[in-house]
């Protein structure tokens, strides 16, 4: 069983929210194709040549070499689930153990670790979220942070009776919303959405009312990769006094985000996908400055208290983002992502998005040329402004072939019922690797 989206070790998934099987803009044309070898197929050869050209022209190409090579892996297409470690991650961790922990010992709490959840949050905010300092904190897991911020949000909305969530939202978001709704005596209402394009601002405007306390949405859909219109949707919700919480797991580090400029209230994201923090790396939470001192999260711990070492009888929350901490923050888990943030700073999120579009654009061409003739459907929007960092394709035999692909070192992931997600982490993936992986999918299918 696959416990989270980042550790798909079992290619027999049990995802309880099957993709709507209808969306497709491809028509199967040739159900009995000739067997293909990359070298023998003219379209494959041409795509490989163009990929090599694009790699030569790619201003960020050198970053690929900053990631640790993985023995036996020729195409890693799952950076949208679990980002690769950097070459220097092992040394960074070793230095941390030797120096910050091993030599400075407990003095490091005073010297840096007490502030790290906030300083690292600010760095993520500045480089990737469009968030001014003092609004982002690193702590907990995505699930726990979702619980804390959803609870804080509904507490700010007395008299309102429902949480609205996209019906196709990631399971953890839906389950947490279900629990928060139950705990607060609210109704959880599910907003249906188009499986290919997600929720629109017009649909949100129609669905929210003065009964709605909170709207919870994914910024980039974890299955289709569709980008939601954060600015318009947030504005439509605010028109009715509804607070909005965005899950940024699939967008942070892949596309520019403008939380402050879009007037977002709450956001949560993980750091093990495009921020390469490693399995189980802590989440981040964003709370707009204007809401912080009124918002109360429900897990009261000493690290979120105003006077951490006062050993008071009763809890009184800290001011600002510190109040969204609970217990001792997972400092060790914050080490690897710092190297990735250095790379993001060097490359710039705008350049990263340009590379991402180049990779997904080439992937779409390869899907059209090599997979569509085998009856593979496209489950990702085509328009560049609507697609995020991964491309999803569907075929009834994908579940069986993903296992074969993993064995030969081509690693996409499978999503129920029949989707392969081709995740193209911009700094660690080359155009050639992308085409090579899609050729391997074609070979396995044929
Ligand atoms: C959109 C989304 N939200 C939440 C999660 C997972 O939450 P957690 O980090 O608590 O496992 C994932 C995992 O891949 C995800 O894709």
């Amino acid at each position: 069983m696959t416990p989270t989206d980042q550790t798909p070790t079992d290619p027999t998934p049990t995802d309880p929210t099957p993709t709507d099987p209808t969306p497709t803009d491809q028509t199967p044309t040739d159900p009995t194709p000739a067997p293909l070898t990359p070298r023998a197929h003219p379209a494959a050869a041409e795509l490989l040549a163009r990929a090599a050209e694009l790699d030569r022209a790619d201003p960020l190409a050198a970053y690929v070499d900053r990631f640790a090579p993985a023995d036996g892996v020729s195409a890693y297409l799952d950076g949208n689930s679990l980002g690769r470690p950097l070459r220097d991650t092992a040394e960074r961790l070793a230095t941390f153990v030797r120096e910050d922990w091993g030599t400075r010992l407990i003095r490091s709490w005073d010297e840096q670790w007490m502030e790290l959840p906030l300083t690292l949050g600010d760095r993520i905010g500045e480089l990737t979220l469009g968030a001014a300092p003092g609004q982002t904190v690193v702590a907990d897991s995505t699930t726990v942070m979702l619980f804390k911020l959803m609870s804080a949000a509904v507490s700010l909305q007395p008299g309102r009776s429902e949480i609205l969530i996209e019906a196709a939202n990631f399971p953890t978001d839906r389950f947490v919303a279900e629990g928060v709704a139950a705990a607060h005596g609210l109704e959880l209402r599910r907003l249906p959405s188009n499986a290919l394009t997600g929720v629109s601002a017009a649909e949100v405007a129609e669905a929210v009312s003065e009964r709605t306390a909170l709207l919870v949405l994914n910024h980039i859909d974890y299955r289709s990769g569709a980008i939601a219109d954060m600015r318009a949707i947030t504005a439509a919700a605010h028109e009715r006094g509804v607070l909005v919480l965005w899950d940024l797991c699939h967008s942070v580090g892949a596309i520019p985000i403008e939380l402050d400029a879009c007037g977002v209230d709450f956001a949560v994201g993980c750091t093990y996908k495009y921020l390469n923090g490693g399995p189980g790396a802590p989440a981040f939470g964003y709370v707009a400055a204007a809401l912080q001192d009124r918002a109360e999260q429900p897990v009261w711990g000493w690290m979120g208290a105003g006077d951490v070492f006062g050993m008071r009888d009763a809890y009184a929350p800290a001011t600002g983002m510190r109040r969204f901490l609970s217990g001792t923050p997972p400092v060790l888990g914050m080490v690897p992502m710092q190297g990735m943030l250095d790379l993001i700073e060097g490359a710039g999120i705008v350049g990263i998005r340009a590379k991402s579009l180049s990779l997904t654009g080439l992937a779409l061409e390869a899907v059209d040329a090599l997979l569509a003739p085998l009856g593979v459907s496209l489950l990702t929007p085509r328009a560049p402004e609507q697609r995020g960092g991964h491309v999803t394709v569907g075929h009834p035999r994908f579940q069986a072939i993903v296992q074969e692909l993993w064995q030969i070192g081509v690693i996409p992931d499978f999503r129920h019922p029949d989707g392969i997600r081709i995740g193209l982490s911009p700094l660690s993936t080359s155009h050639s690797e992308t085409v090579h992986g899609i050729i391997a999918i074609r070979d396995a299918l044929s």
Side-chain angles (χ1 to χ4, degrees):
M1 164 114 181
T2 304
T4 71
D5 192 38
Q6 86 274 23
T7 54
T9 48
D10 177 357
T12 314
T14 54
D15 186 330
T17 57
T19 324
D20 179 337
T22 48
T24 160
D25 62 355
Q26 297 292 346
T27 315
T29 51
D30 178 5
T32 51
L36 172 79
T37 62
R39 280 144 298 277
H41 192 277
E46 194 193 305
L47 281 159
L48 282 171
R50 281 219 314 110
E53 232 171 77
L54 286 167
D55 282 334
R56 277 192 294 276
D58 172 12
L60 304 183
Y63 282 95
V64 173
D65 197 44
R66 301 291 296 273
F67 296 85
D71 269 357
V73 174
S74 57
Y76 187 60
L77 306 178
D78 219 349
N80 62 317
S81 262
L82 178 66
R84 306 175 76 126
L86 273 61
R87 270 184 198 274
D88 71 4
T89 299
E91 185 46 36
R92 190 178 276 267
L93 281 163
T95 305
F96 176 88
V97 173
R98 230 178 12 248
E99 295 172 12
D100 300 14
W101 180 12
T103 305
R104 298 310 299 160
L105 291 163
I106 203 163
R107 292 170 292 185
S108 279
W109 278 110
D110 286 346
E111 290 164 1
Q112 46 169 328
W113 297 339
M114 283 303 284
E115 291 307 312
L116 190 60
L118 302 168
T119 53
L120 191 53
D122 281 349
R123 188 146 194 249
I124 293 172
E126 181 195 346
L127 296 175
T128 65
L129 305 180
Q135 301 178 105
T136 311
V137 72
V138 177
D140 308 316
S141 65
T142 317
T143 302
V144 171
M145 191 59 85
L146 282 168
F147 172 70
K148 287 160 79 167
L149 298 195
M150 282 189 211
S151 304
V154 297
S155 301
L156 287 170
Q157 300 276 59
R160 294 188 176 233
S161 59
E162 69 176 24
I163 297 176
L164 183 64
I165 191 161
E166 187 182 357
N169 210 318
F170 189 77
T172 218
D173 302 58
R174 290 183 287 104
F175 300 161
V176 170
E178 202 179 332
V180 171
H184 289 258
L186 304 173
E187 183 195 341
L188 180 66
R189 195 151 65 84
R190 292 172 173 82
L191 179 61
S193 59
N194 179 304
L196 195 59
T197 55
V199 176
S200 71
E203 286 161 343
V204 165
E206 201 170 315
V208 292
S209 72
E210 62 293 334
R211 290 193 310 281
T212 317
L214 174 68
L215 169 68
V216 180
L217 292 175
N218 269 209
H219 186 204
I220 291 186
D221 186 286
Y222 77 99
R223 291 165 313 173
S224 69
I227 305 175
D229 187 341
M230 178 182 277
R231 188 183 301 266
I233 289 174
T234 303
H238 284 177
E239 287 265 308
R240 296 298 192 97
V242 177
L243 293 168
V244 188
L245 185 153
W246 288 96
D247 181 329
L248 308 177
C249 282
H250 285 274
S251 56
V252 62
I255 67 171
I257 301 172
E258 297 189 342
L259 295 183
D260 288 352
C262 292
V264 167
D265 306 297
F266 297 91
V268 174
C270 71
T271 62
Y272 46 72
K273 299 180 189 295
Y274 298 104
L275 298 187
N276 302 63
F284 63 85
Y286 164 97
V287 181
L291 299 175
Q292 284 170 18
D293 286 343
R294 288 186 292 128
E296 249 190 23
Q297 60 92 357
V299 187
W300 296 1
W302 69 312
M303 285 282 171
D307 183 4
V308 176
F309 293 102
M311 304 301 160
R312 301 282 173 101
D313 284 344
Y315 174 79
T319 51
M321 283 310 286
R322 183 173 289 285
R323 66 170 50 198
F324 296 96
L325 293 179
S326 297
T328 304
V331 172
L332 201 49
M334 298 183 197
V335 174
M337 74 177 85
Q338 297 182 42
M340 186 61 183
L341 289 169
D342 292 344
L343 297 196
I344 291 175
E345 184 166 15
I349 194 69
V350 171
I352 289 172
R353 171 65 171 156
K355 167 92 184 265
S356 168
L357 283 173
S358 177
L359 290 169
T360 54
L362 185 65
L364 289 185
E365 282 180 46
V367 166
D368 288 345
L370 303 177
L371 301 184
L374 302 190
V376 171
S377 55
L378 181 67
L379 304 175
T380 287
R382 273 185 188 279
E385 67 281 3
Q386 280 179 8
R387 61 177 201 257
H390 64 271
V391 168
T392 306
V393 286
H395 190 282
R397 284 187 45 228
F398 274 165
Q399 184 162 358
I401 74 158
V402 164
Q403 204 158 13
E404 273 173 49
L405 289 168
W406 280 27
Q407 272 163 14
I408 60 164
V410 172
I411 309 189
D413 74 5
F414 177 79
R415 277 298 166 267
H416 193 83
D418 63 359
I420 277 185
R421 293 191 307 186
I422 302 167
L424 303 168
S425 190
L427 292 186
S428 62
T429 313
S430 70
H431 296 84
S432 301
E433 184 181 4
T434 304
V435 172
H436 172 81
I438 293 170
I439 290 172
I441 295 172
R442 158 99 195 195
D443 285 348
L445 206 49
S446 58

